[in-house]
Amino acid sequence: MQGGYPPQQNGAFGQVRGPQPGYAGPYPGQSNYGAPAPAPAPAPPAQKRLDPDAIPSPQASDLPAVQKSRHRIDPDAIPSPIQVIEDDKAKSTEPFTTGVRGQAPPLVTTNFQVKDQGNASPRFIRCTAYNMPCTSDMAKQSQVPLAAVIKPLATLPPDETPPYLVDHGEGGPIRCNRCKAYMCPYMQFIEGGRRFQCGFCSCVTEVPPHYFQHLDHTGKRVDCYDRPELSLGSYEFLATVDYCKNNKLPQPPAFIFLIDVSYNAVKSGMVSIVCQELKTLLDYLPRENPDVDSVVRVGFVTYNKVLHFYNVKSSLAQPQMLVVSDVSDMFVPLLDGFLVNVNESRMVIESLLDQIPEMFADTRETETVFGPVIQAGLEALKAADCAGKLFIFHTSLPIAEAPGKLKNREDKKLIGTDKEKSLFQPQVGFYGSLAKECVAQGCCVDLFLFPNQYVDVATLGVVPVSTGGSIYKYTYFQAQTDRERFLNDLRRNVQKKVGFDAVMRVRTSTGIRATDFFGSFYMSNTTDVELAGLDCDKTITVEFRHDDKLSEETGALMQCAVLYTSCSGQRRLRIHNMAVNCCSQLADLYRNCETDTIINFFSKYAFRSVLTSPTKTVRDSLVNQCAQILACYRKNCASPSSAGQLILPECMKLLPVYLNCVLKSDVLLPGADVSLDDRAYLRQLISCMDVTESHVFFYPRLLPISTCDALPVAVRDSEERLSKGGVYLLETGLHLFLWVGANAQQELLINVFGTPSFSQIDPNMTSLPVLDNPFSQRLREIIDSFRAQRSRYMKLMVVKQEDKAELIFRHFLVEDKSASGGASYVDFLCHMHKEIRQLLS
Amino acid sequence: MATFPEYIAQNEERDGVRFSWNVWPSSRLEATRMVVPVAALFTPLKERPDLPPIQYEPVLCSRATCRAVLNPLCQVDYRAKLWACNFCYQRNQFPPTYAGISEVNQPAELLPQFSTIEYVVQRGPQMPLMPLVFLYVVDTCMEDEDLQALKESLQMSLSLLPPTALVGLITFGRMVQVHELGCEGISKSYVFRGTKDLSAKQLQEMLGLTKPSASQGRGPQAAQPPLSNRFLQPVQKIDMNLTDLLGELQRDPWPVTQGKRPLRSLGVAMSIAVGLLECTFPNTGARIMTFVGGPATQGPGMVVGDELKTPIRSWHDIEKDNAKFMKKATKHYEALAGRASSNGHIIDIYACALDQTGLLEMKCCANHTGGYMVMADSFNTSLFKQTFQRVFTKDVQGSFKMAFAATLEIKTSREIKVSGAIGPCVSLNAKGPCVSENEIGTGGTCQWKVCGLDPSTTLALYFEVVNQHNAPIPQGGRGAVQFVTQYQHASGQRRIRVTTTARNWADAQTQIQSIAASFDQEAAAILMARLAVYRAETEEGPDVLRWLDRQLIRLFMFHLRRSPFLQVFNNSPDESSYYRHQFNRQDLTQALIMIQPVLYAYSFNGPPEPVLLDSSSILPDRILLMDTFFQILIYHGETVSQWRKAGYQEMPEYENFRHLLQAPVDDAQELLHTRFPMPRYIDTEHGGSQARFLLSKVNPSQTHNNMYAWGQESGAPILTDDVSLQVFMDHLKKLAVSSAA
């Protein structure tokens, strides 16, 4: 419990703001949280006390300190994300076991080990609430979203076992007769093991003779612990031919590389970088068994306003180029020799990749097509009768005469109006129907964009987003500075674990139902999530609603089954099971929520809403929902106290700060310098982020770099926390900044940059000099480890204090007021409080 | 005066012209009574090695509607330097360059022996010689063995082309590929769907052949059109590259499932070939050489579906109106032929397959452009290989015996007009005073386009005497016809060949004998036959036979009636089209052989002798050599073949037998070497299955019906119900008498 304000040196929250009406006093501190609070940990001095060197806020500095202090709230007194993160880290020392129903896992920011004891690891599934309300009335009252963020093919750390593969023989996996749920630990064996009762729908199903096993005295099957499907939360089934398209076992998938060779692509160096890299990258195509060659076949296409296919059959002395200029009605001009095995055709492929940059070195063609490019890949996969992935390297708005031709419609005037939503919608319907065809064939599209101007990401992204693909965007791509980022992204993308032609279905126990889905996929009905491609980074967020009552006794069960074709061409089913508790007391709900997951859900929900509603409406409804959540808590769970006090549930105390970050994001509240393409890009990117990524995206990690031992404790994302004499690392999952204070010590600069002078630091460097001192080494290690944690490579940007580039950096100091008009944390908290009070009165 | 046969021979030798009548009836009425119209077989490029090319431009009549060329029949006033046109009687001033002429100093075109004369059109230095363009259009849907043979033939042909000739390659199967030539390190081709027809403009855009239009300056300094492009390049530059490219050609890789024909986009491939030349070399001589291994099975121009269970149309289907693709396909190919011919491009079709390939539908491509049509069983036969090689035959100057983009114009005296032409030509729709309203064949014009010509290409031209019955015999007593053939010589030069010929008028009432004596029976027969074939192509079969029967003549027509040109029985539609194609372009001698095959007999009884094409000529101790133009057949009589089997020819004491066996073979070889297209060579014997070719041709004077009435020893009976010549003649006589009554 902290009393009073610490002396304020600076750090104003808007000097013109008057006294908060009804804001009774200081933030009441942790004792008022609904949950039994842990002993208030003394905040580390770095956080508690403001650095004497901290940059004075420009607005604040010219006002007398005393005058302001009355209206100011101590930023250290409001809930601190860093505090929560650090507390959770300290708490989670034991491995997290999934056997206990309704237990919330450690936060995503915490390093922990998972032991699968019957529920899926939080790496696969995270829920917004681990104790769901029993009735829909309760759920409505609380307004807490009930959702699960599922990452079906998530990569596990090396010390955790990947899901086992189970083969139930020719008959295929054992399933419930009625709801078709797959065999899992929630199936109750009865009648001596001859039948089992489904945990989801309670239907009783005969156990097939080959699967029969006796039960022990507790009613468990004797072989319970020998069978992953009876004892684990996540496992895989080998699918039979019944689970395959056209009742035919699938062919191994294919990768097709489609490279834009128009003037801009060649000039920026993209073409030669891609061709050069592919020569080695093709040896790292995904494979199940690292000892054998990949069975993935490859094909190559280049294009500008016509398409060039290449025959790289192993028997050819030199590659053959087949030009298709009739783009209005795309077809694949060759069958044999287009998709080849890398090892067999190595010579021809290398010769081709050597020649492509040369062939187009003098091109003057600036126009490109895009629709026919996807069609070409799709047709090639159709002809080869396999699923696969298209890697499209594209530069410009496709204005050449062809299906899917686009026009420039970037219109900044529409921002903030009711018509803003149209900018997020595709400008033609062509890509929607093309996406549908792609999904039917299992053709996943990954798009690498290298734009110099508006390319209409909102439209170009339709196919990648609907096919489970990814979009990468390298605006103003320059070979020198962006090469590393692009190549690392490409390498990771090519090598990562990926499944094709996937269908995901989430089954739940009676009482709740999966009603809404968010992510990169296509749905042709209300239950099946179809993914042409599903890789280890893709996440699907599922929202549940009540359609009946749940019982506290049985809890709520969910089973996510993903049917997919592995990179070796095997048809498999990946099953993730999750059981959560159910409660009839709202307090139980508020004790078991996970704010990071709620924010993930809210952001996806909001970012999808911008397609249909004005951003203002979307922001307002977000604020409103959060206010309701918190008001409900205050009303029903918090101990009676002064109405002026803001009381937050313990596990939701960060909801306001995080929500504010979502509201301030470029998608919902863009600054003047944010392009329409950037917004569309981010919108699509967020839609398939997992909780870890969305967390760091909305609340970036800011590390003070001062010592060279253990990983330093992060500081809050506010300018106040930056010391003029320090160096800070900030990462968002997409960006990585190294901020250098103007008064940074010479020793520090020498250690990091090899120069004692602040002015000599080159702000254009993208990697730190390799210096032989422990500090430099450690810093580079930290940077590397950050990069390794993220699915996209982050380019390092060195930001010198008071440099022009600092504006970009400040954008990520999310607790501060933003240039685009976003509120500071404190302001928003006050606003939130006001809203809650309004709801309560 | 020489006898008429001599006169006819001389005229043919000098001018390449044979008229049905060499004295013309002087009025329309009489001419119609003659039944056989005044008509001519004209061979525009009759080989005349003795003819010196004239290195200046022809002098033309100044009357705009006439423009006849100065010729030996013109009246010349040497003093006034004037000449009178013998067609329109316009008096013309000689051009200044002719200032020096006099009776003793006459230009060649006034000398009587130069009734046929050839001018070489001089070009300015900025106009280079026209390159020859050869565009190969190659089917890849065929057995590997065939494809290999074809590839070799094509590679060989490159060595026969002049180094400056431009070549191009289009291959097709399910798709159509236009190959870019001369690419280093990677071979490039443009691929088109085989189901979608493209206009020349679309094609031009898709192939990136659009010329920078902004730089198209005006005036004499205008940029020269590029003489080659990525797809058509000089042989000397890319022959290695193209040889490799041809060598790497693979059979069409798209899978063909059981019970299906390969998808063959012939129609689109030809369309692209035509389009490519249309947008790059309009009005320049070019050959599109199409090599077809089977019927088009998809896209525009398809003649049969890909289901093997539905066979390609037969005459039966056509008569029953059951050939569902035929009309559409024919239309497609006719349109192509029209586009090609208006640009002066030739389309050759080399169809090598055991089954039909759709020549019936495609015939207009060759027929309208003067292209070759060659039909064989396989590309791996000497028939194809040697025929193809012979396309590139050169004359003594080393130029190909082919001419390109020719136009034939006819000028006539006032009393006679031209009704039309039958041959490998299309109308240019040039109306003029000498065009008759009465159309025969391709009529209504006095100019025809003949895109491809060789020295034997012969056109049949039909005239109409328009002089009224009571009008006097025209002034001068002679009617004249001038043939003006402008063409691109294989050397690239533009040439004009002018043939002026005249015939006497005669009053049929008073001079009927001289008219009758001037009748050229052979020419008339061929002319009538062409007319019959033309009608057979355009009208219903039996009607043509009835028309022919009403018209005519003796033995010859007996064979014509039985010939494949009119009878479709036992011939596929493709074969009929092929035979008719050849008949319509070959010269008189060859055409005669086609109708009435030549039969030679070899025996110990004396030197080889021509014998009657009659079953009575088939004797056991004879070897027969039959030449039907399309086939050269050696038939060993029963005894001879027994001797041969016994191996007498191997024994030194029977050397004369060896000679006897060898003699027809040598003669056959000689024929084989000169004939184009190469005939099918058949060596058979009594009772051999291939002997049917002989037996179907001879006059069945003895059949199983009457063999016992005739002597046993003479000849071989033919098992047929066809009437023999004897019966035919008897019937004809009866008809002649009855109709006279």
PDB file of all heavy atoms in Angstrom, chain B residues 629-648:
ATOM      1  N   PHE B 629      -0.251 -41.757-111.568  1.00  0.00           N
ATOM      2  CA  PHE B 629       0.197 -40.512-110.964  1.00  0.00           C
ATOM      3  C   PHE B 629       0.416 -40.683-109.463  1.00  0.00           C
ATOM      4  O   PHE B 629       1.447 -40.334-108.933  1.00  0.00           O
ATOM      5  CB  PHE B 629      -0.773 -39.342-111.189  1.00  0.00           C
ATOM      6  CG  PHE B 629      -0.207 -38.028-110.660  1.00  0.00           C
ATOM      7  CD1 PHE B 629       0.689 -37.289-111.420  1.00  0.00           C
ATOM      8  CD2 PHE B 629      -0.539 -37.574-109.396  1.00  0.00           C
ATOM      9  CE1 PHE B 629       1.218 -36.106-110.928  1.00  0.00           C
ATOM     10  CE2 PHE B 629      -0.006 -36.384-108.901  1.00  0.00           C
ATOM     11  CZ  PHE B 629       0.875 -35.665-109.676  1.00  0.00           C
ATOM     12  N   PHE B 630      -0.589 -41.215-108.765  1.00  0.00           N
ATOM     13  CA  PHE B 630      -0.465 -41.371-107.320  1.00  0.00           C
ATOM     14  C   PHE B 630       0.247 -42.670-106.963  1.00  0.00           C
ATOM     15  O   PHE B 630       0.778 -42.826-105.886  1.00  0.00           O
ATOM     16  CB  PHE B 630      -1.834 -41.349-106.652  1.00  0.00           C
ATOM     17  CG  PHE B 630      -2.561 -40.059-106.879  1.00  0.00           C
ATOM     18  CD1 PHE B 630      -3.590 -39.980-107.804  1.00  0.00           C
ATOM     19  CD2 PHE B 630      -2.185 -38.921-106.195  1.00  0.00           C
ATOM     20  CE1 PHE B 630      -4.257 -38.783-108.017  1.00  0.00           C
ATOM     21  CE2 PHE B 630      -2.842 -37.714-106.408  1.00  0.00           C
ATOM     22  CZ  PHE B 630      -3.876 -37.645-107.329  1.00  0.00           C
ATOM     23  N   GLN B 631       0.185 -43.620-107.896  1.00  0.00           N
ATOM     24  CA  GLN B 631       0.829 -44.899-107.661  1.00  0.00           C
ATOM     25  C   GLN B 631       1.627 -45.298-108.878  1.00  0.00           C
ATOM     26  O   GLN B 631       1.229 -45.028-110.007  1.00  0.00           O
ATOM     27  CB  GLN B 631      -0.223 -45.999-107.411  1.00  0.00           C
ATOM     28  CG  GLN B 631      -1.040 -45.787-106.172  1.00  0.00           C
ATOM     29  CD  GLN B 631      -2.508 -46.099-106.407  1.00  0.00           C
ATOM     30  OE1 GLN B 631      -2.935 -46.298-107.550  1.00  0.00           O
ATOM     31  NE2 GLN B 631      -3.258 -46.115-105.331  1.00  0.00           N
ATOM     32  N   ILE B 632       2.765 -45.909-108.595  1.00  0.00           N
ATOM     33  CA  ILE B 632       3.511 -46.575-109.663  1.00  0.00           C
ATOM     34  C   ILE B 632       3.471 -48.042-109.290  1.00  0.00           C
ATOM     35  O   ILE B 632       3.937 -48.422-108.211  1.00  0.00           O
ATOM     36  CB  ILE B 632       4.983 -46.118-109.700  1.00  0.00           C
ATOM     37  CG1 ILE B 632       5.070 -44.596-109.843  1.00  0.00           C
ATOM     38  CG2 ILE B 632       5.755 -46.859-110.780  1.00  0.00           C
ATOM     39  CD1 ILE B 632       4.902 -44.087-111.239  1.00  0.00           C
ATOM     40  N   LEU B 633       2.903 -48.830-110.170  1.00  0.00           N
ATOM     41  CA  LEU B 633       2.686 -50.217-109.789  1.00  0.00           C
ATOM     42  C   LEU B 633       3.354 -51.140-110.790  1.00  0.00           C
ATOM     43  O   LEU B 633       3.230 -50.951-112.000  1.00  0.00           O
ATOM     44  CB  LEU B 633       1.173 -50.480-109.735  1.00  0.00           C
ATOM     45  CG  LEU B 633       0.719 -51.889-109.438  1.00  0.00           C
ATOM     46  CD1 LEU B 633      -0.372 -51.857-108.388  1.00  0.00           C
ATOM     47  CD2 LEU B 633       0.220 -52.586-110.688  1.00  0.00           C
ATOM     48  N   ILE B 634       4.096 -52.102-110.279  1.00  0.00           N
ATOM     49  CA  ILE B 634       4.680 -53.127-111.154  1.00  0.00           C
ATOM     50  C   ILE B 634       3.966 -54.432-110.840  1.00  0.00           C
ATOM     51  O   ILE B 634       3.874 -54.827-109.667  1.00  0.00           O
ATOM     52  CB  ILE B 634       6.188 -53.270-110.914  1.00  0.00           C
ATOM     53  CG1 ILE B 634       6.884 -51.943-111.262  1.00  0.00           C
ATOM     54  CG2 ILE B 634       6.756 -54.414-111.747  1.00  0.00           C
ATOM     55  CD1 ILE B 634       8.344 -51.936-110.963  1.00  0.00           C
ATOM     56  N   TYR B 635       3.442 -55.000-111.894  1.00  0.00           N
ATOM     57  CA  TYR B 635       2.641 -56.209-111.708  1.00  0.00           C
ATOM     58  C   TYR B 635       3.283 -57.337-112.489  1.00  0.00           C
ATOM     59  O   TYR B 635       3.478 -57.233-113.696  1.00  0.00           O
ATOM     60  CB  TYR B 635       1.215 -55.949-112.200  1.00  0.00           C
ATOM     61  CG  TYR B 635       0.322 -57.166-112.257  1.00  0.00           C
ATOM     62  CD1 TYR B 635      -0.451 -57.528-111.150  1.00  0.00           C
ATOM     63  CD2 TYR B 635       0.238 -57.940-113.413  1.00  0.00           C
ATOM     64  CE1 TYR B 635      -1.280 -58.629-111.200  1.00  0.00           C
ATOM     65  CE2 TYR B 635      -0.588 -59.047-113.458  1.00  0.00           C
ATOM     66  CZ  TYR B 635      -1.349 -59.393-112.343  1.00  0.00           C
ATOM     67  OH  TYR B 635      -2.162 -60.491-112.402  1.00  0.00           O
ATOM     68  N   HIS B 636       3.655 -58.388-111.789  1.00  0.00           N
ATOM     69  CA  HIS B 636       4.238 -59.557-112.459  1.00  0.00           C
ATOM     70  C   HIS B 636       3.136 -60.546-112.737  1.00  0.00           C
ATOM     71  O   HIS B 636       2.417 -60.957-111.821  1.00  0.00           O
ATOM     72  CB  HIS B 636       5.289 -60.209-111.563  1.00  0.00           C
ATOM     73  CG  HIS B 636       6.433 -59.274-111.258  1.00  0.00           C
ATOM     74  ND1 HIS B 636       6.460 -58.467-110.151  1.00  0.00           N
ATOM     75  CD2 HIS B 636       7.582 -59.025-111.926  1.00  0.00           C
ATOM     76  CE1 HIS B 636       7.570 -57.749-110.141  1.00  0.00           C
ATOM     77  NE2 HIS B 636       8.273 -58.062-111.215  1.00  0.00           N
ATOM     78  N   GLY B 637       3.009 -60.905-114.017  1.00  0.00           N
ATOM     79  CA  GLY B 637       2.004 -61.883-114.413  1.00  0.00           C
ATOM     80  C   GLY B 637       2.261 -63.223-113.722  1.00  0.00           C
ATOM     81  O   GLY B 637       3.314 -63.447-113.121  1.00  0.00           O
ATOM     82  N   GLU B 638       1.280 -64.058-113.816  1.00  0.00           N
ATOM     83  CA  GLU B 638       1.322 -65.319-113.068  1.00  0.00           C
ATOM     84  C   GLU B 638       2.595 -66.103-113.334  1.00  0.00           C
ATOM     85  O   GLU B 638       3.327 -66.488-112.426  1.00  0.00           O
ATOM     86  CB  GLU B 638       0.092 -66.149-113.457  1.00  0.00           C
ATOM     87  CG  GLU B 638      -0.148 -67.311-112.532  1.00  0.00           C
ATOM     88  CD  GLU B 638      -1.473 -68.014-112.842  1.00  0.00           C
ATOM     89  OE1 GLU B 638      -2.152 -67.586-113.819  1.00  0.00           O
ATOM     90  OE2 GLU B 638      -1.812 -68.956-112.115  1.00  0.00           O
ATOM     91  N   THR B 639       2.909 -66.299-114.604  1.00  0.00           N
ATOM     92  CA  THR B 639       4.082 -67.097-114.975  1.00  0.00           C
ATOM     93  C   THR B 639       5.356 -66.399-114.540  1.00  0.00           C
ATOM     94  O   THR B 639       6.251 -67.014-113.946  1.00  0.00           O
ATOM     95  CB  THR B 639       4.125 -67.289-116.508  1.00  0.00           C
ATOM     96  OG1 THR B 639       2.780 -67.466-116.966  1.00  0.00           O
ATOM     97  CG2 THR B 639       4.971 -68.468-116.883  1.00  0.00           C
ATOM     98  N   VAL B 640       5.404 -65.117-114.827  1.00  0.00           N
ATOM     99  CA  VAL B 640       6.610 -64.375-114.491  1.00  0.00           C
ATOM    100  C   VAL B 640       6.877 -64.466-112.999  1.00  0.00           C
ATOM    101  O   VAL B 640       8.007 -64.685-112.555  1.00  0.00           O
ATOM    102  CB  VAL B 640       6.476 -62.895-114.920  1.00  0.00           C
ATOM    103  CG1 VAL B 640       7.692 -62.097-114.477  1.00  0.00           C
ATOM    104  CG2 VAL B 640       6.293 -62.799-116.415  1.00  0.00           C
ATOM    105  N   SER B 641       5.803 -64.337-112.223  1.00  0.00           N
ATOM    106  CA  SER B 641       6.031 -64.349-110.777  1.00  0.00           C
ATOM    107  C   SER B 641       6.472 -65.722-110.311  1.00  0.00           C
ATOM    108  O   SER B 641       7.259 -65.842-109.375  1.00  0.00           O
ATOM    109  CB  SER B 641       4.782 -63.874-110.036  1.00  0.00           C
ATOM    110  OG  SER B 641       3.851 -64.914-109.932  1.00  0.00           O
ATOM    111  N   GLN B 642       5.982 -66.765-110.991  1.00  0.00           N
ATOM    112  CA  GLN B 642       6.444 -68.111-110.626  1.00  0.00           C
ATOM    113  C   GLN B 642       7.923 -68.265-110.942  1.00  0.00           C
ATOM    114  O   GLN B 642       8.698 -68.802-110.149  1.00  0.00           O
ATOM    115  CB  GLN B 642       5.636 -69.168-111.385  1.00  0.00           C
ATOM    116  CG  GLN B 642       4.297 -69.445-110.710  1.00  0.00           C
ATOM    117  CD  GLN B 642       3.331 -70.211-111.613  1.00  0.00           C
ATOM    118  OE1 GLN B 642       3.663 -70.501-112.766  1.00  0.00           O
ATOM    119  NE2 GLN B 642       2.172 -70.501-111.088  1.00  0.00           N
ATOM    120  N   TRP B 643       8.301 -67.740-112.082  1.00  0.00           N
ATOM    121  CA  TRP B 643       9.731 -67.789-112.444  1.00  0.00           C
ATOM    122  C   TRP B 643      10.560 -67.049-111.403  1.00  0.00           C
ATOM    123  O   TRP B 643      11.604 -67.486-110.984  1.00  0.00           O
ATOM    124  CB  TRP B 643       9.952 -67.107-113.811  1.00  0.00           C
ATOM    125  CG  TRP B 643       9.423 -67.922-114.973  1.00  0.00           C
ATOM    126  CD1 TRP B 643       9.120 -69.250-114.987  1.00  0.00           C
ATOM    127  CD2 TRP B 643       9.151 -67.426-116.289  1.00  0.00           C
ATOM    128  NE1 TRP B 643       8.683 -69.633-116.208  1.00  0.00           N
ATOM    129  CE2 TRP B 643       8.678 -68.527-117.045  1.00  0.00           C
ATOM    130  CE3 TRP B 643       9.271 -66.170-116.911  1.00  0.00           C
ATOM    131  CZ2 TRP B 643       8.324 -68.407-118.389  1.00  0.00           C
ATOM    132  CZ3 TRP B 643       8.920 -66.053-118.230  1.00  0.00           C
ATOM    133  CH2 TRP B 643       8.441 -67.157-118.966  1.00  0.00           C
ATOM    134  N   ARG B 644      10.024 -65.892-111.017  1.00  0.00           N
ATOM    135  CA  ARG B 644      10.790 -65.073-110.074  1.00  0.00           C
ATOM    136  C   ARG B 644      10.935 -65.813-108.743  1.00  0.00           C
ATOM    137  O   ARG B 644      11.986 -65.822-108.133  1.00  0.00           O
ATOM    138  CB  ARG B 644      10.089 -63.734-109.855  1.00  0.00           C
ATOM    139  CG  ARG B 644      10.933 -62.776-109.043  1.00  0.00           C
ATOM    140  CD  ARG B 644      10.411 -61.378-109.147  1.00  0.00           C
ATOM    141  NE  ARG B 644       9.130 -61.269-108.455  1.00  0.00           N
ATOM    142  CZ  ARG B 644       8.719 -60.160-107.850  1.00  0.00           C
ATOM    143  NH1 ARG B 644       9.496 -59.084-107.871  1.00  0.00           N
ATOM    144  NH2 ARG B 644       7.551 -60.108-107.270  1.00  0.00           N
ATOM    145  N   LYS B 645       9.838 -66.446-108.340  1.00  0.00           N
ATOM    146  CA  LYS B 645       9.907 -67.178-107.072  1.00  0.00           C
ATOM    147  C   LYS B 645      10.896 -68.318-107.167  1.00  0.00           C
ATOM    148  O   LYS B 645      11.594 -68.636-106.197  1.00  0.00           O
ATOM    149  CB  LYS B 645       8.522 -67.721-106.705  1.00  0.00           C
ATOM    150  CG  LYS B 645       7.711 -66.671-105.946  1.00  0.00           C
ATOM    151  CD  LYS B 645       6.423 -67.278-105.420  1.00  0.00           C
ATOM    152  CE  LYS B 645       5.442 -66.175-105.045  1.00  0.00           C
ATOM    153  NZ  LYS B 645       4.125 -66.393-105.656  1.00  0.00           N
ATOM    154  N   ALA B 646      10.937 -68.922-108.311  1.00  0.00           N
ATOM    155  CA  ALA B 646      11.871 -70.029-108.504  1.00  0.00           C
ATOM    156  C   ALA B 646      13.315 -69.536-108.566  1.00  0.00           C
ATOM    157  O   ALA B 646      14.256 -70.339-108.518  1.00  0.00           O
ATOM    158  CB  ALA B 646      11.529 -70.777-109.784  1.00  0.00           C
ATOM    159  N   GLY B 647      13.494 -68.251-108.677  1.00  0.00           N
ATOM    160  CA  GLY B 647      14.842 -67.682-108.598  1.00  0.00           C
ATOM    161  C   GLY B 647      15.630 -67.753-109.890  1.00  0.00           C
ATOM    162  O   GLY B 647      16.864 -67.739-109.861  1.00  0.00           O
ATOM    163  N   TYR B 648      14.930 -67.802-111.032  1.00  0.00           N
ATOM    164  CA  TYR B 648      15.659 -67.881-112.306  1.00  0.00           C
ATOM    165  C   TYR B 648      16.568 -66.680-112.513  1.00  0.00           C
ATOM    166  O   TYR B 648      17.618 -66.784-113.105  1.00  0.00           O
ATOM    167  CB  TYR B 648      14.665 -68.011-113.474  1.00  0.00           C
ATOM    168  CG  TYR B 648      14.093 -69.399-113.603  1.00  0.00           C
ATOM    169  CD1 TYR B 648      12.827 -69.709-113.130  1.00  0.00           C
ATOM    170  CD2 TYR B 648      14.849 -70.425-114.216  1.00  0.00           C
ATOM    171  CE1 TYR B 648      12.305 -70.985-113.231  1.00  0.00           C
ATOM    172  CE2 TYR B 648      14.324 -71.707-114.316  1.00  0.00           C
ATOM    173  CZ  TYR B 648      13.059 -71.973-113.829  1.00  0.00           C
ATOM    174  OH  TYR B 648      12.560 -73.245-113.940  1.00  0.00           O
TER     175      TYR B 648
END
